[in-house]
Each structure stands twice: as structure tokens, then as C-alpha cells.
Amino acid sequence: MENNTRNHVLAAVESQLPLNRIAYPAIPAFPKTVTDLLTAFEQRVADAGGEIFRPADAVAAQALLASQFPGASVICSVTPEIKGNRDIHAVQNPHELADVDVAVIRARFGVAENGMVWLTQEDLEVNALGFLSQHLVILLSPQSIVCDMYDAYLRVHLEDTAYGCFMMGPSATADIGAVLVHGAQGARSLSVYLL
């Protein structure tokens, strides 16, 4: 074992573990209160200031993106369904994404009870894409919506990714004068394309 501070700390913690292992408490099966997952998800996204769209296919989604953001000059898509004009694989420094108008990202799944989506480093390619872009378009399969956070955490595998986050709605704050402002510290809008 390498002689460094990390290993000293881990060894100290291990030396204080109880000799008799105690099983974790059983997690009860919480009753599900949401039955129509898609409707609940759509309502929670709207509550958070986001928008839901149902393009028929990838071609319709591309046309929807063009009509929704006609003034966008930099579109960075990390999905095969929608084309952008900024190649994420050419980005050497996350700061290069500061001029992205629209980012298009496919989420792993959504959560009906709160309208959040789960994104990983593999989905974002460069983590800053989800936070520096002016507008976010999230592609989500309607079949990939789970009921609540209990179900969501069963699908989160942090051992498989270096980074992951739940994201809900556009950036918002209302702590100054109780005035709601979107885009204060992140994306100004968030659209979910059910595709």
C-alpha cells in the first residue's frame, strides 16, 4: 500500500469499523402515488419553467429546433438524432462552449414526481455543455420515465460514470425582490423533446 495521506485516513477509518457487521436496514416498498407517469412528468417540467414538445420523429425534431431558436448561431448536439454546427469532440477546453446558444443532449431517464432528468458525463461529453449553454434541449424517450426518486436511484450507477446530475427546468432564482429570473446561473430555457 502506498504511504500517503489518503491511505492513512482510509486505514484509520477501517480500524474503527465494528467487528460485527450489521446489515443495512431494509428499504420498504413505498406506495406509488403517481400512476400516469408521462402526464405527471409534463406537469412538473412546466411547473419548473420548462416546456415539453412531442416531435413525430428526428426530422420533425430538427425542424422544431430551427423554429424554436431561429437566431441561434451555435448549436452543439451530442445526439445522433439532431445535428448541430459545433463538434463537441473538437472541444479542447470547456471554456470553448461559452458561446453555445443551444445544447442538445439525450437524458438517460426522467422522474415523474419532480420533472428532473438524469444526465451523465457520457451524455454531456463535456460537462460544461449543460451549464454554459443559453438554452437546453433534452431528448427523452417517453418510456424512460420513472415514478419517483426511489425508482430513479435504482437506475443511477455512479460506479459507471465519473459525473452525473439531476437537472430540472431552466436555471432560476427568485431571491431578490421575489422576482423569478430564468437563466441566472445557467440555461435560460429548457425544452424536453419526447423522442
Side-chain angles (χ1 to χ4, degrees):
M1 177 182 285
E2 196 173 318
N3 189 18
N4 58 37
T5 304
R6 176 179 178 272
N7 289 333
H8 285 291
V9 170
L10 291 176
V13 169
E14 190 171 342
S15 71
Q16 297 301 314
L17 291 175
L19 297 176
N20 297 324
R21 298 286 176 153
I22 300 171
Y24 291 114
I27 298 175
F30 295 100
K32 304 298 181 190
T33 57
V34 179
T35 54
D36 185 344
L37 300 183
L38 182 56
T39 300
F41 178 79
E42 290 178 319
Q43 184 58 53
R44 297 293 86 76
V45 168
D47 291 346
E51 292 183 279
I52 295 277
F53 297 91
R54 297 170 180 255
D57 53 27
V59 174
Q62 187 80 51
L64 173 61
L65 182 82
S67 68
Q68 196 179 7
F69 304 102
S73 56
V74 179
I75 298 173
C76 185
S77 175
V78 288
T79 72
E81 296 94 340
I82 293 183
K83 303 294 178 214
N85 57 9
R86 170 70 53 85
D87 180 5
I88 192 76
H89 301 291
V91 172
Q92 300 294 313
N93 183 321
H95 293 96
E96 296 171 26
L97 298 170
D99 63 346
V100 172
D101 295 306
V102 182
V104 184
I105 307 159
R106 177 166 286 282
R108 302 269 162 148
F109 62 87
V111 184
E113 75 171 352
N114 52 29
M116 292 196 295
V117 294
W118 172 249
L119 302 172
T120 69
Q121 179 172 299
E122 290 70 28
D123 306 319
L124 295 162
E125 297 282 343
V126 177
N127 295 342
L129 181 65
F131 306 96
L132 292 180
S133 304
Q134 293 293 314
H135 305 277
L136 295 177
V137 172
I138 305 294
L139 306 188
L140 177 68
S141 168
Q143 289 76 38
S144 298
I145 298 174
V146 299
C147 182
D148 52 31
M149 292 305 291
Y150 298 109
D151 291 343
Y153 279 113
L154 293 174
R155 296 187 61 170
V156 170
H157 301 286
L158 293 176
E159 67 277 11
D160 296 335
T161 185
Y163 176 81
C165 70
F166 285 103
M167 186 172 285
M168 180 179 73
S171 168
T173 184
D175 57 351
I176 299 175
V179 176
L180 179 62
V181 176
H182 283 136
Q185 294 103 13
R188 294 172 18 205
S189 74
L190 184 143
S191 303
V192 177
Y193 290 8
L194 296 173
L195 185 66

